[in-house]
Amino acid sequence: MMTPGWWAMALSEAVNDQTPLAVAFGGEELVLFRNAAGQAFALEDRCPHRRVPLALGRVVESGLQCGYHGWTFDGASGGCTQIPNLHAGERVPARYAARAFAVREANGFVHAWLGDGAPQGELPSSDYQPSGREFTGSTIVNMSHDQYLAAMLDGPECLLDFTHVRLTDFFLGDLRSEQGRAVLERGAVWSTQFLPSQFVVDYPLIVRTAVALQGGIIRVDLLSEDELPLITLMISSGANRRGTTSLCWRGYVHEQVPAKAPLRWRIARLRKRAPFSVNGLIDGTAIAALLEASSRELKTLRQPHLIPVSAVV
C-alpha cells in the first residue's frame, strides 16, 4: 500500500537530459528526465491528449515532448507549452497540463513526492552517506512489494548476498521500531567457517536489516561482532505493475577490515569487487519455506493508526 511521502524513484545517474526514464513506484507511473542544467523533473507517464506514455517521447529544451503528437510539457509545472498545430498567437488551455510531482535529489537517489499533502520531512536516503567506491544497480523482481519487505526481515538471504558471508536464521534480539524503521539483527559467519551451535550467540558478523514503516526504503548493514560497519547497502523498493516490485540500490565498503576476515574477502576488497549482490531472480521455493516471524510485527507497525471519532468530537 502506498503511503504519502518521499520515495526514492531512481539512481541519479539513470536520469539524464537525453532519454526519458519510465518508473513505477508505489502504484504511480512516472517519467523522469533532466533539463540541460541538470535539474531533475517527474511527470505522470501519460500524455493528457491521447494517454500515450510520455516516456516514449524525447527531452527538448523546453521540457518533455510527447512522441505521438508532439505536445511539449514543462517539467516543473507539467503545463503544456507547445502544440504543433496551434498558431503562434493561440494560447494552450491550462487543462492540457500533465500531472507534475515534486522532486528532490540527494545521496545518489532521485526522490519524488507521492500521495496527498505538501512535500515535507526528510528524504528516505538522508542517512546514506557513502565513502569510497560505490556499487549500484536496479531491477524488477517477480514478487509483490509487501511480500518483498516481509521477506527482507524473515529471510534476507533469499533476496541478497554478501560476498563470502553466510547469513544464519538466528535472531540477535527482537524486532524493534527505530527512527521510523523496523529493525532486526541476525548472526552471520564467514563462508570459510563452520556454523556455530544454535546455542552459541557469539557470531563473528551481524546483519542489521531496517525496513521503512512508511515508503519503500530498506537499509542493510553488515557489521563486525563489535558492531563496526563493514558494508552499507541502501535499497529503494516500490510496487510496480502486476504484482512486481521495482528496486534500485547503492552500497559501499567501509574502511574497517575485521581481523578475522578470510583472505578471499580481503583479496576481493583489494580488487574492488562488488561486496554484495541483490537478487533479480528470486527462488520461490525458498521464499515459500520462510517462517513468517518478524514480518507479522511489520504488518502491524505499517498499518495506519486511526483516531476514534469520539476522540475528535
Side-chain angles (χ1 to χ4, degrees), residues 112-175:
W113 177 269
L114 303 184
D116 299 327
Q120 59 183 329
E122 292 186 351
L123 299 178
S125 65
S126 60
D127 65 341
Y128 176 71
Q129 302 293 335
S131 60
R133 184 177 180 182
E134 286 187 288
F135 300 87
T136 64
S138 62
T139 191
I140 298 174
V141 295
N142 188 21
M143 192 175 185
S144 75
H145 188 223
D146 287 342
Q147 290 174 339
Y148 192 88
L149 296 181
M152 188 59 73
L153 291 177
D154 291 334
E157 67 277 6
C158 297
L159 307 180
L160 55 87
D161 296 291
F162 287 107
T163 305
H164 306 309
V165 172
R166 283 188 291 175
L167 278 65
T168 75
D169 56 2
F170 189 89
F171 297 118
L172 304 177
D174 298 325
L175 184 74

Side-chain angles (χ1 to χ4, degrees), residues 11 32 171 178 248 259:
L11 303 179
L32 307 178
F171 297 118
E178 186 177 287
C248 62

Side-chain angles (χ1 to χ4, degrees), residues 138-274:
S138 62
T139 191
I140 298 174
V141 295
N142 188 21
M143 192 175 185
S144 75
H145 188 223
D146 287 342
Q147 290 174 339
Y148 192 88
L149 296 181
M152 188 59 73
L153 291 177
D154 291 334
E157 67 277 6
C158 297
L159 307 180
L160 55 87
D161 296 291
F162 287 107
T163 305
H164 306 309
V165 172
R166 283 188 291 175
L167 278 65
T168 75
D169 56 2
F170 189 89
F171 297 118
L172 304 177
D174 298 325
L175 184 74
R176 64 184 186 275
S177 179
E178 186 177 287
Q179 297 181 339
R181 292 174 180 167
V183 182
L184 186 66
E185 296 169 346
R186 65 179 63 219
V189 298
W190 299 109
S191 57
T192 54
Q193 293 179 297
F194 291 106
L195 287 174
S197 167
Q198 61 180 340
F199 301 106
V200 176
V201 295
D202 295 329
Y203 287 90
L205 298 169
I206 300 170
V207 174
R208 177 180 297 152
T209 307
V211 175
L213 301 182
Q214 304 292 330
I217 207 74
I218 302 165
R219 175 167 174 154
V220 185
D221 289 282
L222 179 67
L223 311 170
S224 70
E225 57 186 338
D226 299 323
E227 298 196 25
L228 294 176
L230 304 179
I231 298 172
T232 294
L233 170 62
M234 190 72 76
I235 305 172
S236 175
S237 65
N240 203 311
R241 308 178 189 92
R242 300 181 181 273
T244 61
T245 297
S246 298
L247 302 175
C248 62
W249 61 86
R250 311 189 79 92
Y252 67 99
V253 183
H254 291 264
E255 294 182 359
Q256 294 85 351
V257 178
K260 298 180 181 179
L263 179 61
R264 62 178 65 180
W265 190 84
R266 295 172 183 269
I267 293 176
R269 176 188 173 94
L270 290 174
R271 292 180 176 176
K272 298 182 179 181
R273 293 176 179 172

Side-chain angles (χ1 to χ4, degrees), residues 6 26 44 47 54 63 88 96 99-100 169 191 225 228 264 290:
W6 290 108
E44 182 180 13
C47 179
L54 289 173
Y96 290 163
R99 183 183 174 197
D169 56 2
S191 57
E225 57 186 338
L228 294 176
R264 62 178 65 180
L290 290 177

